[in-house]
Amino acid sequence: MTEKYLRRILDNVKCAVVVVDENLKAVYANRAFGTLFPKGDLNGNIGAVTACTGDTELCGVEGGCKGCALASAFEDAFLSQKEVARRIFQRVKVDDSVREISYSITVTPIGGGYCMGAIDNAIELEIARELQSAKNIQQRLLPAGKWAGGKKYSYMYIPCREIGGDLPDVYTQEGTPFGVVADVSGKGISAGMLSAFVKAAYDKDAPSPALALKNLNSKFTQLNLDERNYVTVAAVRIDPEHITYSMAGHNVPILLKTDSGVTRIMLNSPPISNWFENPAYFDDTIPYKKGDILVLLTDGVTECKNGQGEMFGVEGAIKTLSYSKTADDFIKNLEKNLNSFCDNLNDDITAIAFDL
């Protein structure tokens, strides 16, 4: 009866708790522990119960994972019969993916050949798990294919944090391809939520990019966000002989490779925001030829800095485009050049390129 009630008490404790024996075999894990490690084997050893990606059969024995902080924390507690606290960095299985996590654990000998491990910052670990889930959802919002309306395209999306604030999108309307890049204010979770709103609210039935931006701004104002929140957008429709495009506060030009070099397309209107009442958005057109490459960028590309504080700039994008033969070639060259130029990413990086 006592054991039954002790288990019930521990199952209602918010702190994640696991008890193991001297062979590091798990004999008990409470409900909070199972929530943090849903893929763990509650009847296995300490490695298996945390869903570790290492060789869990060798967990805690000679020849096991070298330098495993989790196993050594329990081993040291058993040997010293004193409380041991460690910071753990571990690769674990979550859903259908593998991710790196960190947490603090305190291991306490409780007698009878058992030690209890308590994760002190279970909330932090839970947040990390939710962030990973949000990241997986955001990845599913990205364009799915490489063709749209008979046009081949390629894109790059590199968030500077777990959750990004850029949104690349490609879709077709009655066989005509459309492309959109959006960059929302801020970074992290709030930016990710706003980019998800843009994805859902963007009017893919609008016949022109300008009308789509107008409708998006109308829906945005209904959120009643303050002036710190805004979205810049560049949108295009690719017709058989010309491109129709519209911009909303997007300060990075669309680039078009032509026989005579690179054309920078400049047209701007206010960002999607609450800054103005009934802002106007305009369409413009530009002709193209077969073999041209159309590129849409966010400012994370041009404002990416090297160790000396120099920006990659529009010039870096133009130079990369000048020797790229296809859209896919441009995206690969751009990613390579950015990686060699920039020391650390401090903004989301997004680019879409179309073979025309």
Side-chain angles (χ1 to χ4, degrees):
M1 183 66 71
T2 302
E3 181 180 353
K4 176 183 176 181
Y5 280 101
L6 284 175
R7 286 176 176 269
R8 183 178 297 178
I9 291 169
L10 287 172
D11 274 338
N12 285 279
V13 170
K14 300 301 181 183
C15 179
V17 173
V18 62
V19 178
V20 304
D21 63 18
E22 292 177 321
N23 296 317
L24 300 194
K25 170 79 173 180
V27 297
Y28 171 76
N30 71 348
R31 186 179 298 134
F33 195 94
T35 299
L36 293 179
F37 301 99
K39 289 291 183 179
D41 178 7
L42 297 182
N43 296 315
N45 55 30
I46 189 60
V49 80
T50 57
C52 182
T53 59
D55 189 349
T56 57
E57 292 184 2
L58 297 178
C59 186
V61 301
E62 187 175 352
C65 298
K66 185 177 180 180
C68 175
L70 182 59
S72 66
F74 280 91
E75 289 173 340
D76 290 349
F78 276 118
L79 288 172
S80 66
Q81 285 300 298
K82 294 181 180 179
E83 185 175 275
V84 173
R86 296 283 166 80
R87 184 71 177 176
I88 309 298
F89 297 89
Q90 191 178 7
R91 290 172 59 86
V92 300
K93 301 169 188 174
V94 178
D95 298 325
D96 296 325
S97 63
V98 173
R99 65 182 176 88
E100 296 182 354
I101 63 171
S102 64
Y103 55 91
S104 298
I105 190 169
T106 300
V107 182
T108 305
I110 57 176
Y114 298 102
C115 276
M116 179 182 73
I119 294 180
D120 301 326
N121 54 349
I123 293 178
E124 176 186 332
L125 185 55
E126 179 67 12
I127 291 174
R129 192 164 68 90
E130 292 300 323
L131 279 174
Q132 183 63 35
S133 296
K135 181 179 180 180
N136 292 339
I137 292 172
Q138 190 172 64
Q139 288 293 320
R140 292 170 186 164
L141 298 179
L142 299 176
K146 293 295 184 181
W147 290 87
K151 300 295 184 183
K152 190 174 183 181
Y153 70 91
S154 186
Y155 73 93
M156 173 176 61
Y157 171 68
I158 306 175
C160 68
R161 297 184 182 177
E162 289 287 333
I163 308 298
D166 282 1
L167 176 69
D169 202 7
V170 177
Y171 62 96
T172 59
Q173 183 189 118
E174 297 181 355
T176 299
F178 286 69
V180 180
V181 292
D183 185 359
V184 310
S185 57
K187 295 181 178 66
I189 297 174
S190 61
M193 293 179 67
L194 193 53
S195 67
F197 161 79
V198 174
K199 174 75 174 183
Y202 193 85
D203 186 1
K204 293 185 178 181
D205 294 324
S208 77
L211 182 57
L213 295 183
K214 178 182 178 181
N215 293 342
L216 178 63
N217 192 80
S218 178
K219 293 178 181 177
F220 182 90
T221 57
Q222 296 175 19
L223 296 177
N224 293 318
L225 300 176
D226 62 38
E227 62 183 11
R228 293 172 295 179
N229 295 279
Y230 61 90
V231 185
T232 67
V233 187
V236 299
R237 184 185 72 212
I238 305 175
D239 294 307
E241 296 181 351
H242 66 273
I243 299 161
T244 300
Y245 63 96
S246 188
M247 312 266 275
H250 207 73
N251 61 352
V252 177
I254 301 169
L255 307 174
L256 177 69
K257 185 176 182 179
T258 66
D259 292 339
S260 59
V262 176
T263 301
R264 296 177 59 178
I265 306 172
M266 302 299 293
L267 172 69
N268 222 342
S269 293
I272 305 299
S273 66
N274 292 322
W275 299 350
F276 308 98
E277 289 188 11
N278 301 316
Y281 297 98
F282 304 96
D283 284 321
D284 204 349
T285 62
I286 186 171
Y288 69 86
K289 296 180 181 179
K290 183 176 177 59
D292 286 348
I293 302 174
L294 175 67
V295 176
L296 289 75
L297 305 167
T298 61
D299 60 9
V301 174
T302 56
E303 295 178 6
C304 189
K305 295 181 180 180
N306 62 13
Q308 289 72 47
E310 301 167 328
M311 291 195 295
F312 188 74
V314 176
E315 296 75 14
I318 290 176
K319 182 178 180 181
T320 303
L321 181 60
S322 66
Y323 61 80
S324 299
K325 297 181 180 179
T326 65
D328 190 57
D329 193 29
F330 169 77
I331 293 296
K332 290 178 180 177
N333 289 335
L334 182 64
E335 184 171 5
K336 178 181 177 181
N337 290 346
L338 286 172
N339 284 332
S340 62
F341 180 85
C342 304
D343 296 325
N344 295 297
L345 300 181
N346 55 13
D347 199 358
D348 303 321
I349 291 179
T350 299
I352 304 176
F354 291 89
D355 286 320
L356 302 177

